[in-house]
Amino acid sequence: MPTPSLAALPIRRLTLRDLTACADLSEDRGWPREEHKWGLLLAAGKGYGIDDPHGGLVTACVVTEYGPYSEPDLGAIGMVLVAERHARQGIGRRLMRHVLSAMGTTPLTLHATPFGRPLYEELGFKLTGRAEMLQGHFTPGGPAPTVSTRAATAEDLATILRLDEEVLGTDRTHLITRLPAFADQLRVAEESGRIIGYAAAWPNMNTHVVGPLIARDTETAQALLTSLAAGTGRPLRTDIDVRHEELRAWAGERGLTPVALNSVMTYGIPELPGDWNRRFAPLTVAAL
């Protein structure tokens, strides 16, 4: 039996049963396996992929939808990967065109690496911002934070969800309600008994990723980041909107150094909804 051409292979929906194959694909491209993150995305979002007749996946990606279940108002595309042996053959373009068709008129966003950005621009995505990935061992220093933080409790979840929707401009209930099980730490910042920010730290390979990081102001973001760092001995990683220059400089002084700069792109909307002034870091660049 001849091997079918790549163009003839069907695109199908991925499920949690494909988690190992997705992690294998990440590893094939020199990325970390990130099985914990893949598990979240495949559970909360919609995976798409093409099976390789010789085993594994030719390509994969995940779309996480936000807003009303039947009529999402935003979709985030992430983990767009093509196996090395099938790279530069138009497979990623085909998969992306399929996703664009499946999402219809729903506005989309993604974080693009310098390598991937030309393809997304060709498909109609527009550059709307940048996010700087920082990583390193956090070293406390300077004045102690004056903003009070504490571990989140079950009673805080409704307030966290309201704050998150207000800042992000869309409903992420299906994602945020998974945080208590997904993250190793979930903390809130308070003022006079009112929650003014929240953040999580979740395990990813040998690091803890800080995200989401939602805060009233830079001082609140610093307090949350400091409190999360105190709860782990691992290096921290986070992706900060470049417009938050003060937080980036402060984090750099405490050992978190830049390792990558990604483009934030949108399709169908001129910019992301919500209040960027309080949106410091996404849960993951693969979602929102």
Side-chain angles (χ1 to χ4, degrees), residues 163-195:
L163 176 62
D164 189 82
E165 183 171 359
E166 179 184 327
V167 174
L168 271 293
T170 188
D171 181 4
R172 298 198 298 174
T173 296
H174 65 303
L175 198 63
I176 302 307
T177 51
R178 288 177 161 88
L179 275 180
F182 177 72
D184 285 345
Q185 297 185 70
L186 179 59
R187 298 187 65 84
V188 296
E190 282 187 317
E191 181 181 76
S192 302
R194 183 171 64 92
I195 292 177

Side-chain angles (χ1 to χ4, degrees), residues 133-138 206-207 235-238 255-259:
M133 181 187 294
L134 305 174
Q135 184 171 317
H137 283 281
F138 184 92
N206 67 330
T207 69
L236 294 184
R237 200 185 92 196
T238 190
L256 304 188
T257 58
V259 294

Side-chain angles (χ1 to χ4, degrees), residues 12-41:
R12 68 170 177 88
R13 284 283 302 276
L14 303 177
T15 71
L16 281 169
R17 291 190 297 273
D18 298 296
L19 193 154
T20 298
C22 289
D24 289 344
L25 185 59
S26 290
E27 195 169 53
D28 173 77
R29 292 315 304 257
W31 289 19
R33 290 183 63 82
E34 299 188 308
E35 286 155 314
H36 189 57
K37 181 168 74 172
W38 271 113
L40 173 72
L41 295 172

Side-chain angles (χ1 to χ4, degrees), residues 36-46 62-64 79 175 284 286-287:
H36 189 57
K37 181 168 74 172
W38 271 113
L40 173 72
L41 295 172
L42 290 171
K46 295 178 178 178
V62 180
V63 183
T64 310
M79 309 303 281
L175 198 63
T284 166

Side-chain angles (χ1 to χ4, degrees), residues 37-228:
K37 181 168 74 172
W38 271 113
L40 173 72
L41 295 172
L42 290 171
K46 295 178 178 178
Y48 295 90
I50 297 175
D51 291 310
D52 190 325
H54 301 293
L57 291 168
V58 171
T59 184
C61 74
V62 180
V63 183
T64 310
E65 298 176 348
Y66 307 101
Y69 178 77
S70 57
E71 294 183 31
D73 51 33
L74 184 65
I77 301 173
M79 309 303 281
V80 182
L81 288 165
V82 177
E84 178 64 35
R85 61 193 177 279
H86 299 301
R88 294 168 292 279
Q89 298 180 48
I91 301 303
R93 181 179 292 101
R94 181 186 167 208
L95 180 64
M96 285 297 300
R97 290 193 184 282
H98 179 87
V99 169
L100 292 179
S101 176
M103 295 301 292
T105 59
T106 302
L108 301 170
T109 184
L110 55 77
H111 282 67
T113 64
F115 177 79
R117 180 177 164 182
L119 169 61
Y120 302 129
E121 288 179 329
E122 176 189 324
L123 294 170
F125 284 81
K126 305 297 183 184
L127 176 68
T128 56
R130 296 183 188 276
E132 186 173 58
M133 181 187 294
L134 305 174
Q135 184 171 317
H137 283 281
F138 184 92
T139 304
T146 58
V147 177
S148 174
T149 71
R150 60 170 174 81
T153 68
E155 288 73 25
D156 296 321
L157 190 55
T159 303
I160 288 172
L161 288 170
R162 285 194 298 270
L163 176 62
D164 189 82
E165 183 171 359
E166 179 184 327
V167 174
L168 271 293
T170 188
D171 181 4
R172 298 198 298 174
T173 296
H174 65 303
L175 198 63
I176 302 307
T177 51
R178 288 177 161 88
L179 275 180
F182 177 72
D184 285 345
Q185 297 185 70
L186 179 59
R187 298 187 65 84
V188 296
E190 282 187 317
E191 181 181 76
S192 302
R194 183 171 64 92
I195 292 177
I196 57 173
Y198 85 96
W202 50 272
N204 191 35
M205 309 304 289
N206 67 330
T207 69
H208 267 120
V209 176
V210 174
L213 177 53
I214 303 296
R216 181 185 62 184
D217 49 33
T218 300
E219 184 181 14
T220 305
Q222 291 172 348
L224 285 164
L225 193 49
T226 300
S227 66
L228 291 170

